[in-house]
Amino acid sequence: MIGKETFHKISVVFLYLFFVLSPFSISLCQIFAGASLFFLFLDFTFQKKIPHWEPDFIFWILLYLSFLITPVLLFEDTDWKRTILKSEFGDVWMGFLLLHHSRLTKLEKKRLKRAVEIGALFLIGSGLLSLLSPYRLAPFVMDGFQYLEGKRLPHQLANFLGISLYLPIGFQSTHLTYGGLLALYLPSLMEKTFRILKMVRRLSRYRIQISFLLSFSFLGLVLLFLNQSRSIWFGLLFGLFLLTLQKKVSIKKYLPWLVFSIVGIVLLFFILYQNNWLFQRAIDDLFAKRSLENQRIWIHKMNFAILKDSFLLGIGSGNYPGAFILQAIPLVRDLPELYYDLSITPKSHAHFDFLHFWILGGILGGSSFLIFIFLKTKSILQVSNQAFFYIGFFAILFAGSFQCYLLDDEVLLPFLGILCLLPKSKRKREEREEGTTKKNRILVYSLLLFWILFSSMGALYLTNTPAKDLFVHRVRTETNFPDKLGQSSLNATSGVVVPVGTREMYFKISGCLDHEINFDNTAKIRTTPIQLKIHWEKNPLGELPDTLVLETRKRESFDQDKEYRVQAERIVKTETFLNPRKLELVQVNPKEHLGSGIEFIDFGFRFFWKGERPVLPIIEISGNCN
């Protein structure tokens, strides 16, 4: 016989499994979340109750409904199957997880918090496995615990005591998703660690437990650091800063520890920056005008171009890729070299949560998102003694100004699920007695709004960068690491001095595609030759190379992130040049050495010196190799 609470209890069980197993698989995450909602609605039906629609739930659903305004206005031209099921609106069902908030009891929420803690342990465990694994865990497991040739391998971080360490991403497909999950799950473990630390002096039986929690909390922080999700790093610091505003903190009391921590972090950053190329690239990308891995300036150019035309009602769910391409076509027409970068860019989102919601839903979408943030922030600040558990909420909001974390199902589902564990709203009288003061709450709200508007203005400012500066020919070593000296020789104003006594140097320069192509036409073989110039003229800084062995190389042009495998390269021609002491033009006919598809024509340079003061010649190459 089905009891009064049977369906509710089953729903809670599935919610428990959802929190525990989400770190392993997005499919499990969706299945258990969906099953939990199914039994939640069965419970409401069985008890003949109407779900309690809290304001935050209403505005979250309103956010998604705003995505349908333009499709409804263009009703006859809309592909409704795609719009409802295969676009951003298709994630609307996840918002119904918020209905659990008012249905769960205090005891059930406490038990579900334990599930989050267990999930955090699993997340850290999978991160440690990926740190030591030479293969990406998800495809490795899916392929029957074997590596299939051509599958993309993880980035190697370093070699420590003879052990290779790799970028930790757990079972996730990207380091950003893993970083987002750490931001949501790790605070639960740390919050429990802090809570038990207060009791450990009085009760010795907690010492083993605290040692275990401290160890895993520390490992979680190490993984977060090695994961290199910079937006999450700063997001957690931002959240911590917001939470400190609700308490009176004695700066004098914590100043020595604060100074010690800052000095230690700066020293660690310096050591890693000097000795690890991947970490060095992660920091350099924050300040580089021409970032090789983090170039989103032209994305924001198109974001604001779309907003300019559709800021009031938005473009509608599922229409961002099409709008992106419409803005990209004239850009590629003027600068053909941008086609490849734009073609491999994920065109499903705007790389900015707030902007994406505004682009899709117009003023209604943007305002609904801001009101939702306000309501949830208010709820978190009302439980000041438990607020650290929910610090991931602020981290994701902050990081969402650099990536669309709330469009990633693997992050969005736990994000909404954890918000369900907030205590029920306090009465006004209790609010005055507990939690933050009204003044402090207003300050937190203001800072959140300021960050969103400030980061939006920052994105707008980036669009002032000239289009011609949005492309760079990448220079790599023979083992495909970035080559600073080789990079600095491209279009330089003078020769580049290399270390004294260098006799030989090799690097590869990424060239251009052997086809002409745009988003609105089919590819055709390029008619103009791909060319570059080598300045062999006498250089006062030192001695230019005596000999150059020049390789003409072909490289595949598929999206490596999408295919999870690396682009194959081959040498199709080798030539030897003696220093002619004058400008030399190198040309390659795109019709020669054609492969099965569109390929890059790259160049490999191997220079030889006899003198003691070697200098690299200037290598002149235009964006489209004209």
Side-chain angles (χ1 to χ4, degrees), residues 204-220:
S204 59
R205 64 190 177 94
Y206 283 106
R207 288 176 182 171
I208 296 177
Q209 187 177 3
I210 195 63
S211 299
F212 175 81
L213 289 172
L214 277 172
S215 298
F216 268 86
S217 295
F218 175 74
L219 287 173

Side-chain angles (χ1 to χ4, degrees), residues 251-542:
I251 299 296
K252 185 177 180 180
K253 179 180 178 181
Y254 293 103
L255 186 60
W257 287 103
L258 185 63
V259 172
F260 177 78
S261 300
I262 292 174
V263 172
I265 291 172
V266 170
L267 183 61
L268 182 61
F269 268 57
F270 178 78
I271 293 172
L272 286 172
Y273 184 83
Q274 293 294 327
N275 295 280
N276 183 264
W277 75 269
L278 195 59
F279 184 84
Q280 188 179 81
R281 187 188 69 187
I283 299 301
D284 287 345
D285 281 352
L286 289 174
F287 307 101
K289 181 179 179 181
R290 289 180 168 190
S291 168
L292 300 176
E293 302 292 338
N294 198 31
Q295 220 174 34
R296 294 190 185 87
I297 299 174
W298 31 266
I299 294 178
H300 289 310
K301 276 180 175 288
M302 286 175 278
N303 286 343
F304 285 99
I306 295 170
L307 271 179
K308 183 180 179 182
D309 298 331
S310 310
F311 75 95
L312 186 60
L313 299 177
I315 62 174
S317 184
N319 292 326
Y320 183 83
F324 182 105
I325 288 173
L326 284 176
Q327 297 297 331
I329 288 172
L331 186 60
V332 174
R333 192 175 294 128
D334 294 335
L335 297 168
E337 60 269 23
L338 287 182
Y339 172 78
Y340 174 75
D341 286 342
L342 289 169
S343 69
I344 66 171
T345 298
K347 288 175 278 295
S348 57
H349 59 78
H351 289 77
F352 195 135
D353 281 324
F354 172 67
L355 286 183
H356 191 82
F357 293 146
W358 188 4
I359 288 171
L360 296 191
I363 295 295
L364 179 60
S367 58
S368 295
F369 180 59
L370 293 177
I371 295 172
F372 172 81
I373 291 174
F374 166 77
L375 294 171
K376 278 305 176 188
T377 300
K378 181 180 179 182
S379 299
I380 292 172
L381 296 181
Q382 285 175 357
V383 288
S384 57
N385 60 328
Q386 304 173 38
F388 189 81
F389 185 93
Y390 306 98
I391 196 174
F393 171 80
F394 300 112
I396 295 299
L397 293 181
F398 182 94
S401 295
F402 305 96
Q403 292 286 340
C404 280
Y405 279 98
L406 296 181
L407 294 180
D408 185 344
D409 293 1
E410 290 185 81
V411 175
L412 178 59
L413 279 168
F415 175 84
L416 294 172
I418 287 174
L419 291 178
C420 298
L421 306 183
L422 278 163
K424 294 179 182 178
S425 299
K426 299 176 182 290
R427 295 177 181 177
K428 291 185 177 180
R429 182 179 177 182
E430 292 174 322
E431 281 186 42
R432 288 195 295 268
E433 294 174 355
E434 297 183 22
T436 59
T437 64
K438 183 177 180 180
K439 183 179 179 181
N440 287 345
R441 287 201 302 269
I442 292 174
L443 180 58
V444 172
Y445 303 148
S446 300
L447 285 173
L448 271 173
L449 181 61
F450 170 77
W451 167 250
I452 292 173
L453 295 179
F454 175 77
S455 54
S456 298
M457 291 300 101
L460 178 60
Y461 174 77
L462 290 176
T463 63
N464 293 324
T465 304
K468 64 180 181 179
D469 289 343
L470 300 177
F471 177 81
V472 62
H473 290 282
R474 187 171 56 151
V475 179
R476 300 167 292 153
T477 64
E478 200 159 7
T479 52
N480 287 327
F481 286 92
D483 191 308
K484 285 188 175 181
L485 283 176
Q487 192 74 53
S488 60
S489 70
L490 296 191
N491 301 315
T493 55
S494 63
V496 177
V497 178
V498 298
V500 175
T502 299
R503 298 292 183 219
E504 180 182 336
M505 183 175 183
Y506 178 88
F507 55 80
K508 297 180 284 188
I509 298 177
S510 61
C512 296
L513 295 174
D514 58 9
H515 282 65
E516 296 173 352
I517 186 172
N518 203 336
F519 294 100
D520 60 346
N521 59 41
T522 56
K524 60 181 181 180
I525 299 174
R526 177 171 169 155
T527 55
T528 57
I530 288 176
Q531 62 183 32
L532 55 81
K533 297 176 182 178
I534 305 173
H535 288 260
W536 292 101
E537 300 97 330
K538 187 175 180 179
N539 194 299
L541 298 176

